[in-house]
């Protein structure tokens, strides 16, 4: 009888509840680059790549993890003012992590295909939506140059309308802020830290040169996944 | 900056002619002494920040206002008009940034730093509790202005109090009706050559070695006259 009771009783029920309370917030970590810091030269210097990856991106991740932990605690305590207050830090730092994670995949050394124009369905979509690849580059460069302050310029896909768009976002706002159906194919970081040590105030030169290391293969993969 | 009312935009703010302004400004001839703030702000930074960024704001503003009704107005008026109650017109960015940068250079001096005194210190103690608290809060504001922007100590004429303000991109406290007393530029171009990502280090050096409390006191005096 005692044994049957033991068998029917839910095992470790007390511990499950305890574990639920202890459920950890997922922490994020810095993704590795698939190329060396110096591999994008001369378009982007190794010095910039190292600082950009190891300092800037890492800081967004550290701050994002901290904010998420604080949010988790505030939610558990029912501390609504803190929950509301943390939204800014989550958007800034989470956005920074999202955007830079895409950015590293948007770049490739020239010997690994960086700069090679997109073929296949993305190439056709570019021609259909914008007329030519040159038109895309020109428009993105113009928007990137005109962006005041810090932000990003994006080539995105509206996955509902199956249409390509060129958009900018301010600060670390991810592309999805501009439209819930927007998927980033290609983003160019136009924060000054992305180019200043090499190009100083001449942002247009950075924008002109970055196309030599743009990894269209990744953009095409994302596009084909959404538009099979 | 107040005396700039009587100067036309082109003569007052073309950097290659040096800076013109009220007599209380320190004697830094910024057009010829790019190393005046070394080692705390490098001459290389100055060469780009003043010689390229600030100059471009001035040149582009002059192009934008040439032949328009904004031409001949004071820079402060141009800022307020083009701010357009929060829906800025095209010239706002250049106008505000031209003003902000001039104000920034005049907020610093060689062998700066130290502590404020007199009426300024009195108000800091009154409105922040202590100078140390003010420094802590000013540094925090400058460090947490996300993206590009500025941190300010300002005077609010309405309630006659000091306030800390942080603004994005080109915005400044003039558009809030405040009087600016001190600013630090936290756009990355202001510190990246010298400090790279280490904005807090830049802010500390600014407070310890660069800030001109004479300029701040003088501005307060004008604001409370």
């Amino acid at each position: 009888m005692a044994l049957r009771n033991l068998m029917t009783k839910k095992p470790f029920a007390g511990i499950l509840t305890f574990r639920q309370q202890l459920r950890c917030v997922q922490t994020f970590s810095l993704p590795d680059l698939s190329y060396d810091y110096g591999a994008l030269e001369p378009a982007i210097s190794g010095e910039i790549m190292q600082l950009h990856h190891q300092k800037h991106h890492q800081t967004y991740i550290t701050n994002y993890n901290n904010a998420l932990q604080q949010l988790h605690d505030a939610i558990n305590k029912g501390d609504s003012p803190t929950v509301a207050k943390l939204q800014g830090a989550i958007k800034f730092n989470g956005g920074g992590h999202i955007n830079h994670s895409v950015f590293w995949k948007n770049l490739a050394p020239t010997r690994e295909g960086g700069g090679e124009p997109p073929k296949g369905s993305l190439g056709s979509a570019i021609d259909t939506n914008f007329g030519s690849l040159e038109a895309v580059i020109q428009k993105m460069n113009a928007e990137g140059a005109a962006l005041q302050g810090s932000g990003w310029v994006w080539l995105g896909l509206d996955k509902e309308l199956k249409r390509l768009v060129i958009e900018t976002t301010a600060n670390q706002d991810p592309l999805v802020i501009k439209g819930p159906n927007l998927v980033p194919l290609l983003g160019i970081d136009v924060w000054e830290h992305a180019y200043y040590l090499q190009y100083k105030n001449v942002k247009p030169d950075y924008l002109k040169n970055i196309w030599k290391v743009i990894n269209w293969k990744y953009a095409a993969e994302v596009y084909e996944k959404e538009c099979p | 900056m107040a005396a700039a009312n009587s100067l036309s935009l082109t003569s007052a703010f073309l950097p290659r002619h040096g800076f013109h302004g009220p007599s209380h400004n320190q004697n830094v001839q910024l057009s010829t002494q790019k190393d005046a703030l070394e080692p705390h702000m490098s001459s290389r930074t100055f060469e780009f920040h003043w010689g390229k960024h600030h100059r471009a704001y001035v040149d582009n503003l002059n192009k934008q206002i040439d032949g328009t009704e904004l031409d001949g107005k004071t820079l402060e008026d141009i800022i307020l008009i083009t701010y357009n109650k929060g829906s800025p017109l095209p010239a706002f960015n250049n106008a505000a940034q031209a003003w902000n940068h001039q104000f920034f250079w005049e907020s610093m001096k060689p062998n700066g730093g130290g502590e404020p005194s007199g009426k300024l210190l009195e108000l800091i103690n009154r409105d922040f509790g202590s100078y140390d608290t003010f420094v802590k809060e000013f540094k925090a504001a400058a460090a947490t202005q996300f993206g590009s922007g500025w941190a300010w100590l300002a005077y609010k004429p309405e309630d006659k109090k000091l306030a800390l303000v942080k603004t994005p991109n080109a915005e400044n406290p003039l558009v809030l009706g405040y009087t600016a007393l001190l600013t630090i530029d936290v756009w990355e171009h202001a510190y990246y050559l010298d400090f790279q990502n280490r904005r807090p280090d830049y802010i500390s050096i600014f407070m310890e070695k660069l800030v001109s409390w004479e300029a701040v006191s003088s501005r307060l005096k004008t604001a409370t006259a």
Side-chain angles (χ1 to χ4, degrees):
Chain A
M1 176 89 158
L3 191 59
R4 199 185 303 130
N5 280 345
L6 278 173
M7 296 285 282
T8 53
K9 200 173 175 184
K10 240 171 140 189
F12 307 117
I15 293 174
L16 261 178
T17 310
F18 179 60
R19 195 191 294 156
Q20 277 164 358
Q21 285 175 354
L22 271 191
R23 183 167 54 229
C24 291
V25 179
Q26 181 182 358
T27 52
F28 295 91
S29 54
L30 188 65
D32 289 331
L33 304 189
S34 59
Y35 41 83
D36 291 338
Y37 290 130
L40 303 182
E41 293 193 353
I44 306 177
S45 73
E47 190 189 11
I48 286 180
M49 288 305 294
Q50 184 166 4
L51 278 166
H52 204 172
H53 183 243
Q54 286 183 357
K55 303 289 182 187
H56 290 275
H57 189 174
Q58 179 61 65
T59 300
Y60 289 127
I61 289 169
T62 304
N63 293 343
Y64 183 40
N65 287 336
N66 287 341
L68 287 176
Q69 185 61 58
Q70 288 175 57
L71 179 68
H72 174 76
D73 296 342
I75 289 172
N76 280 346
K77 285 187 219 152
D79 177 359
S80 297
T82 301
V83 169
K85 200 176 69 165
L86 284 166
Q87 300 307 307
I90 287 169
K91 188 169 99 155
F92 301 155
N93 294 295
H97 175 49
I98 292 166
N99 295 338
H100 286 87
S101 299
V102 173
F103 188 52
W104 309 134
K105 293 188 261 198
N106 285 151
L107 303 170
T110 46
R111 65 172 174 277
E112 286 168 38
E116 266 173 36
K119 301 174 185 63
S121 55
L122 177 57
S124 309
I126 283 173
D127 290 343
T128 305
N129 284 255
F130 295 101
S132 65
L133 180 59
E134 289 67 40
V136 167
I137 292 173
Q138 202 186 48
K139 188 163 187 334
M140 286 184 74
N141 285 353
E143 304 239 349
L147 194 150
Q148 287 164 14
S150 307
W152 292 74
V153 56
W154 302 96
L155 175 66
L157 167 68
D158 184 320
K159 60 185 179 182
E160 285 297 305
L161 302 175
K162 303 286 189 233
R163 211 178 46 184
L164 295 179
V165 298
I166 290 173
E167 282 286 353
T168 57
T169 56
N171 297 332
Q172 292 299 350
D173 290 358
L175 180 60
V176 72
I177 297 279
K178 281 285 174 93
N181 299 318
L182 296 181
V183 173
L185 301 178
L186 165 56
I188 298 179
D189 190 347
V190 290
W191 280 63
E192 287 173 327
H193 65 240
Y195 62 87
Y196 206 80
L197 291 179
Q198 185 176 354
Y199 294 96
K200 313 296 189 303
N201 58 303
V202 194
K203 188 176 18 167
D205 280 358
Y206 160 68
L207 290 168
K208 199 176 70 173
N209 285 319
I210 198 172
W211 294 100
K212 298 173 189 162
V213 290
I214 288 294
N215 181 16
W216 283 108
K217 274 188 257 183
Y218 170 75
E221 272 164 30
V222 178
Y223 180 82
E224 280 155 26
K225 187 157 153 257
E226 299 290 344
C227 302
Chain B
M1 295 292 289
N5 282 348
S6 57
L7 300 174
S8 78
L9 179 68
T10 48
S11 65
F13 295 101
L14 273 176
R16 63 176 170 272
H17 293 159
F19 290 106
H20 303 265
S23 56
H24 66 253
N25 284 346
Q26 64 277 17
N27 293 324
V28 181
Q29 293 296 320
L30 293 171
S31 56
T32 52
Q33 287 183 14
K34 294 190 188 74
D35 61 351
L37 301 179
E38 287 261 12
H40 312 298
M41 183 175 286
S42 68
S43 56
R44 202 155 155 261
T45 288
F46 227 97
E47 186 193 327
F48 287 100
H49 199 178
W50 173 81
K52 304 282 183 188
H53 292 271
H54 186 179
R55 184 188 299 272
Y57 290 125
V58 171
D59 288 349
N60 290 335
L61 176 64
N62 284 338
K63 281 186 214 148
Q64 272 176 320
I65 66 174
D66 186 35
T68 73
E69 68 212 2
L70 294 174
D71 204 348
K73 291 203 181 335
T74 67
L75 186 53
E76 286 83 355
D77 281 346
I78 294 172
I79 289 168
L80 293 174
I81 292 166
T82 57
Y83 183 66
N84 195 30
K85 301 190 177 109
S87 305
L89 305 174
F92 173 76
N93 191 64
N94 290 318
Q97 285 290 76
W99 192 96
N100 296 341
H101 282 86
Q102 170 105 3
F103 193 82
F104 176 54
W105 307 132
E106 293 173 2
S107 296
M108 295 185 285
K109 65 170 196 176
N111 304 310
E115 293 191 11
S117 56
K119 180 81 184 177
L120 174 60
L121 181 60
E122 224 179 272
L123 289 191
I124 286 175
N125 287 332
R126 185 195 71 184
D127 294 338
F128 293 97
S130 69
Y131 173 66
D132 286 343
T133 305
F134 157 72
V135 170
K136 199 163 144 227
E137 291 184 16
F138 183 80
K139 284 182 167 186
T144 58
Q145 173 47 40
F146 194 73
S148 310
W150 304 76
W152 308 82
L153 173 64
Y155 178 76
K156 297 164 70 174
E158 254 178 44
D159 52 14
K160 300 199 193 323
K161 282 184 151 198
L162 297 179
L164 280 179
V165 183
K166 51 186 186 182
T167 56
N169 297 344
E171 286 181 31
N172 61 34
L174 271 64
V175 305
L176 301 170
Y178 299 177
T179 304
L181 299 178
L182 170 66
T183 195
I184 180 172
D185 187 349
V186 291
W187 282 62
E188 285 176 326
H189 64 242
Y191 59 90
Y192 214 83
L193 296 180
D194 295 343
F195 294 93
Q196 293 80 60
N197 61 301
R198 302 183 323 270
R199 194 197 284 189
D201 288 350
Y202 158 68
I203 297 166
S204 291
I205 290 289
F206 174 84
M207 292 305 286
E208 288 160 28
K209 307 285 186 186
L210 290 171
V211 69
S212 166
W213 289 117
E214 288 82 3
V216 182
S217 287
S218 175
R219 290 159 177 168
L220 177 66
K221 192 162 170 214
T222 306
T224 52

